[in-house]
PDB file of all heavy atoms in Angstrom:
ATOM      1  N   ASN A1105      95.593-133.890 -80.504  1.00 96.00           N
ATOM      2  CA  ASN A1105      95.980-134.196 -81.941  1.00 96.00           C
ATOM      3  C   ASN A1105      95.756-132.820 -82.816  1.00 96.00           C
ATOM      4  O   ASN A1105      94.966-131.989 -82.414  1.00 96.00           O
ATOM      5  CB  ASN A1105      95.426-135.329 -82.529  1.00 96.00           C
ATOM      6  CG  ASN A1105      93.990-135.315 -82.724  1.00 96.00           C
ATOM      7  OD1 ASN A1105      93.405-134.237 -82.962  1.00 96.00           O
ATOM      8  ND2 ASN A1105      93.290-136.397 -82.524  1.00 96.00           N
ATOM      9  N   ARG A1106      96.475-132.815 -83.934  1.00 96.00           N
ATOM     10  CA  ARG A1106      96.290-131.694 -84.746  1.00 96.00           C
ATOM     11  C   ARG A1106      94.873-131.299 -85.237  1.00 96.00           C
ATOM     12  O   ARG A1106      94.479-130.159 -85.337  1.00 96.00           O
ATOM     13  CB  ARG A1106      97.187-131.865 -86.019  1.00 96.00           C
ATOM     14  CG  ARG A1106      97.163-130.593 -87.016  1.00 96.00           C
ATOM     15  CD  ARG A1106      98.087-130.853 -88.196  1.00 96.00           C
ATOM     16  NE  ARG A1106      99.456-130.860 -87.671  1.00 96.00           N
ATOM     17  CZ  ARG A1106     100.252-129.845 -87.518  1.00 96.00           C
ATOM     18  NH1 ARG A1106      99.721-128.613 -87.813  1.00 96.00           N
ATOM     19  NH2 ARG A1106     101.497-129.892 -87.067  1.00 96.00           N
ATOM     20  N   LYS A1107      94.069-132.418 -85.586  1.00 96.00           N
ATOM     21  CA  LYS A1107      92.772-132.176 -86.042  1.00 96.00           C
ATOM     22  C   LYS A1107      91.844-131.358 -85.091  1.00 96.00           C
ATOM     23  O   LYS A1107      91.178-130.412 -85.336  1.00 96.00           O
ATOM     24  CB  LYS A1107      92.065-133.519 -86.412  1.00 96.00           C
ATOM     25  CG  LYS A1107      92.626-134.160 -87.793  1.00 96.00           C
ATOM     26  CD  LYS A1107      91.907-135.419 -87.979  1.00 96.00           C
ATOM     27  CE  LYS A1107      92.425-136.102 -89.204  1.00 96.00           C
ATOM     28  NZ  LYS A1107      91.835-137.398 -89.474  1.00 96.00           N
ATOM     29  N   PHE A1108      91.991-131.814 -83.872  1.00 97.00           N
ATOM     30  CA  PHE A1108      91.129-131.137 -82.832  1.00 97.00           C
ATOM     31  C   PHE A1108      91.640-129.871 -82.477  1.00 97.00           C
ATOM     32  O   PHE A1108      90.792-128.852 -82.174  1.00 97.00           O
ATOM     33  CB  PHE A1108      91.179-132.115 -81.510  1.00 97.00           C
ATOM     34  CG  PHE A1108      90.354-131.473 -80.343  1.00 97.00           C
ATOM     35  CD1 PHE A1108      88.995-131.296 -80.593  1.00 97.00           C
ATOM     36  CD2 PHE A1108      90.961-131.025 -79.182  1.00 97.00           C
ATOM     37  CE1 PHE A1108      88.210-130.795 -79.604  1.00 97.00           C
ATOM     38  CE2 PHE A1108      90.172-130.521 -78.178  1.00 97.00           C
ATOM     39  CZ  PHE A1108      88.770-130.376 -78.338  1.00 97.00           C
ATOM     40  N   VAL A1109      92.963-129.630 -82.407  1.00 96.00           N
ATOM     41  CA  VAL A1109      93.510-128.252 -82.170  1.00 96.00           C
ATOM     42  C   VAL A1109      93.031-127.303 -83.229  1.00 96.00           C
ATOM     43  O   VAL A1109      92.637-126.172 -82.934  1.00 96.00           O
ATOM     44  CB  VAL A1109      95.066-128.407 -82.013  1.00 96.00           C
ATOM     45  CG1 VAL A1109      95.653-126.951 -82.038  1.00 96.00           C
ATOM     46  CG2 VAL A1109      95.479-129.136 -80.804  1.00 96.00           C
ATOM     47  N   GLU A1110      93.065-127.788 -84.473  1.00 96.00           N
ATOM     48  CA  GLU A1110      92.643-126.860 -85.615  1.00 96.00           C
ATOM     49  C   GLU A1110      91.149-126.554 -85.461  1.00 96.00           C
ATOM     50  O   GLU A1110      90.751-125.415 -85.799  1.00 96.00           O
ATOM     51  CB  GLU A1110      92.987-127.491 -86.949  1.00 96.00           C
ATOM     52  CG  GLU A1110      94.442-127.502 -87.329  1.00 96.00           C
ATOM     53  CD  GLU A1110      94.754-128.226 -88.609  1.00 96.00           C
ATOM     54  OE1 GLU A1110      93.827-128.915 -89.051  1.00 96.00           O
ATOM     55  OE2 GLU A1110      95.846-128.066 -89.081  1.00 96.00           O
ATOM     56  N   TYR A1111      90.435-127.474 -85.088  1.00 96.00           N
ATOM     57  CA  TYR A1111      88.934-127.376 -84.843  1.00 96.00           C
ATOM     58  C   TYR A1111      88.732-126.261 -83.769  1.00 96.00           C
ATOM     59  O   TYR A1111      87.960-125.315 -83.986  1.00 96.00           O
ATOM     60  CB  TYR A1111      88.320-128.667 -84.457  1.00 96.00           C
ATOM     61  CG  TYR A1111      86.882-128.563 -83.945  1.00 96.00           C
ATOM     62  CD1 TYR A1111      85.773-128.209 -84.840  1.00 96.00           C
ATOM     63  CD2 TYR A1111      86.612-128.752 -82.593  1.00 96.00           C
ATOM     64  CE1 TYR A1111      84.498-128.150 -84.279  1.00 96.00           C
ATOM     65  CE2 TYR A1111      85.313-128.645 -82.093  1.00 96.00           C
ATOM     66  CZ  TYR A1111      84.314-128.306 -82.955  1.00 96.00           C
ATOM     67  OH  TYR A1111      82.983-128.253 -82.496  1.00 96.00           O
ATOM     68  N   VAL A1112      89.341-126.445 -82.655  1.00 94.00           N
ATOM     69  CA  VAL A1112      89.191-125.371 -81.528  1.00 94.00           C
ATOM     70  C   VAL A1112      89.635-124.056 -81.994  1.00 94.00           C
ATOM     71  O   VAL A1112      88.966-122.987 -81.627  1.00 94.00           O
ATOM     72  CB  VAL A1112      89.928-125.924 -80.321  1.00 94.00           C
ATOM     73  CG1 VAL A1112      89.894-124.746 -79.248  1.00 94.00           C
ATOM     74  CG2 VAL A1112      89.219-127.174 -79.741  1.00 94.00           C
ATOM     75  N   THR A1113      90.711-124.001 -82.754  1.00 93.00           N
ATOM     76  CA  THR A1113      91.364-122.654 -83.047  1.00 93.00           C
ATOM     77  C   THR A1113      90.601-122.007 -84.201  1.00 93.00           C
ATOM     78  O   THR A1113      90.406-120.820 -84.028  1.00 93.00           O
ATOM     79  CB  THR A1113      92.767-122.921 -83.552  1.00 93.00           C
ATOM     80  OG1 THR A1113      93.531-123.691 -82.543  1.00 93.00           O
ATOM     81  CG2 THR A1113      93.443-121.657 -83.788  1.00 93.00           C
ATOM     82  N   PHE A1114      90.106-122.716 -85.186  1.00 94.00           N
ATOM     83  CA  PHE A1114      89.647-122.028 -86.415  1.00 94.00           C
ATOM     84  C   PHE A1114      88.093-122.043 -86.521  1.00 94.00           C
ATOM     85  O   PHE A1114      87.495-121.390 -87.353  1.00 94.00           O
ATOM     86  CB  PHE A1114      90.237-122.547 -87.637  1.00 94.00           C
ATOM     87  CG  PHE A1114      91.768-122.297 -87.567  1.00 94.00           C
ATOM     88  CD1 PHE A1114      92.678-123.413 -87.693  1.00 94.00           C
ATOM     89  CD2 PHE A1114      92.317-121.086 -87.581  1.00 94.00           C
ATOM     90  CE1 PHE A1114      94.019-123.194 -87.490  1.00 94.00           C
ATOM     91  CE2 PHE A1114      93.743-120.884 -87.506  1.00 94.00           C
ATOM     92  CZ  PHE A1114      94.535-122.008 -87.489  1.00 94.00           C
ATOM     93  N   SER A1115      87.514-123.080 -85.855  1.00 92.00           N
ATOM     94  CA  SER A1115      86.000-123.237 -86.091  1.00 92.00           C
ATOM     95  C   SER A1115      85.211-122.137 -85.522  1.00 92.00           C
ATOM     96  O   SER A1115      85.518-121.591 -84.414  1.00 92.00           O
ATOM     97  CB  SER A1115      85.599-124.563 -85.359  1.00 92.00           C
ATOM     98  OG  SER A1115      84.165-124.725 -85.425  1.00 92.00           O
ATOM     99  N   ASN A1116      84.114-121.853 -86.147  1.00 91.00           N
ATOM    100  CA  ASN A1116      83.184-120.837 -85.752  1.00 91.00           C
ATOM    101  C   ASN A1116      81.807-121.472 -85.403  1.00 91.00           C
ATOM    102  O   ASN A1116      80.853-120.766 -85.425  1.00 91.00           O
ATOM    103  CB  ASN A1116      82.992-119.702 -86.882  1.00 91.00           C
ATOM    104  CG  ASN A1116      84.153-118.873 -87.045  1.00 91.00           C
ATOM    105  OD1 ASN A1116      84.875-118.446 -86.007  1.00 91.00           O
ATOM    106  ND2 ASN A1116      84.533-118.577 -88.258  1.00 91.00           N
ATOM    107  N   ASP A1117      81.795-122.641 -85.238  1.00 91.00           N
ATOM    108  CA  ASP A1117      80.488-123.322 -84.916  1.00 91.00           C
ATOM    109  C   ASP A1117      80.047-122.843 -83.546  1.00 91.00           C
ATOM    110  O   ASP A1117      80.762-122.337 -82.744  1.00 91.00           O
ATOM    111  CB  ASP A1117      80.582-124.858 -85.063  1.00 91.00           C
ATOM    112  CG  ASP A1117      81.398-125.588 -84.036  1.00 91.00           C
ATOM    113  OD1 ASP A1117      81.619-124.953 -82.969  1.00 91.00           O
ATOM    114  OD2 ASP A1117      81.587-126.776 -84.234  1.00 91.00           O
ATOM    115  N   ASP A1118      78.757-123.266 -83.269  1.00 91.00           N
ATOM    116  CA  ASP A1118      78.071-122.733 -82.080  1.00 91.00           C
ATOM    117  C   ASP A1118      78.647-123.241 -80.858  1.00 91.00           C
ATOM    118  O   ASP A1118      78.888-122.498 -79.838  1.00 91.00           O
ATOM    119  CB  ASP A1118      76.525-123.163 -82.207  1.00 91.00           C
ATOM    120  CG  ASP A1118      75.764-122.333 -81.124  1.00 91.00           C
ATOM    121  OD1 ASP A1118      75.880-121.109 -81.162  1.00 91.00           O
ATOM    122  OD2 ASP A1118      74.866-122.999 -80.443  1.00 91.00           O
ATOM    123  N   LEU A1119      79.209-124.397 -80.762  1.00 92.00           N
ATOM    124  CA  LEU A1119      79.709-125.028 -79.597  1.00 92.00           C
ATOM    125  C   LEU A1119      81.026-124.278 -79.185  1.00 92.00           C
ATOM    126  O   LEU A1119      81.200-123.831 -78.052  1.00 92.00           O
ATOM    127  CB  LEU A1119      80.102-126.539 -79.790  1.00 92.00           C
ATOM    128  CG  LEU A1119      80.917-127.186 -78.662  1.00 92.00           C
ATOM    129  CD1 LEU A1119      80.045-127.293 -77.421  1.00 92.00           C
ATOM    130  CD2 LEU A1119      81.364-128.564 -79.094  1.00 92.00           C
ATOM    131  N   VAL A1120      81.972-124.140 -80.123  1.00 92.00           N
ATOM    132  CA  VAL A1120      83.216-123.577 -79.812  1.00 92.00           C
ATOM    133  C   VAL A1120      83.004-122.041 -79.593  1.00 92.00           C
ATOM    134  O   VAL A1120      83.568-121.600 -78.548  1.00 92.00           O
ATOM    135  CB  VAL A1120      84.257-123.668 -80.983  1.00 92.00           C
ATOM    136  CG1 VAL A1120      85.480-122.801 -80.779  1.00 92.00           C
ATOM    137  CG2 VAL A1120      84.512-125.158 -81.253  1.00 92.00           C
ATOM    138  N   THR A1121      82.096-121.419 -80.076  1.00 90.00           N
ATOM    139  CA  THR A1121      81.942-119.825 -79.838  1.00 90.00           C
ATOM    140  C   THR A1121      81.331-119.766 -78.365  1.00 90.00           C
ATOM    141  O   THR A1121      81.763-118.909 -77.680  1.00 90.00           O
ATOM    142  CB  THR A1121      80.929-119.333 -80.894  1.00 90.00           C
ATOM    143  OG1 THR A1121      81.538-119.582 -82.213  1.00 90.00           O
ATOM    144  CG2 THR A1121      80.722-117.850 -80.633  1.00 90.00           C
ATOM    145  N   LYS A1122      80.265-120.588 -78.154  1.00 88.00           N
ATOM    146  CA  LYS A1122      79.742-120.425 -76.871  1.00 88.00           C
ATOM    147  C   LYS A1122      80.599-120.766 -75.650  1.00 88.00           C
ATOM    148  O   LYS A1122      80.619-120.164 -74.619  1.00 88.00           O
ATOM    149  CB  LYS A1122      78.497-121.470 -76.694  1.00 88.00           C
ATOM    150  CG  LYS A1122      77.217-120.840 -77.360  1.00 88.00           C
ATOM    151  CD  LYS A1122      76.123-121.800 -77.097  1.00 88.00           C
ATOM    152  CE  LYS A1122      74.758-121.238 -77.650  1.00 88.00           C
ATOM    153  NZ  LYS A1122      73.578-122.153 -77.463  1.00 88.00           N
TER     154      LYS A1122
END
Side-chain angles (χ1 to χ4, degrees):
N1105 65 35
R1106 180 178 294 273
K1107 288 181 182 178
F1108 179 65
V1109 170
E1110 289 178 343
Y1111 167 72
V1112 170
T1113 305
F1114 302 115
S1115 173
N1116 290 319
D1117 74 10
D1118 197 42
L1119 171 68
V1120 174
T1121 301
K1122 279 185 176 179

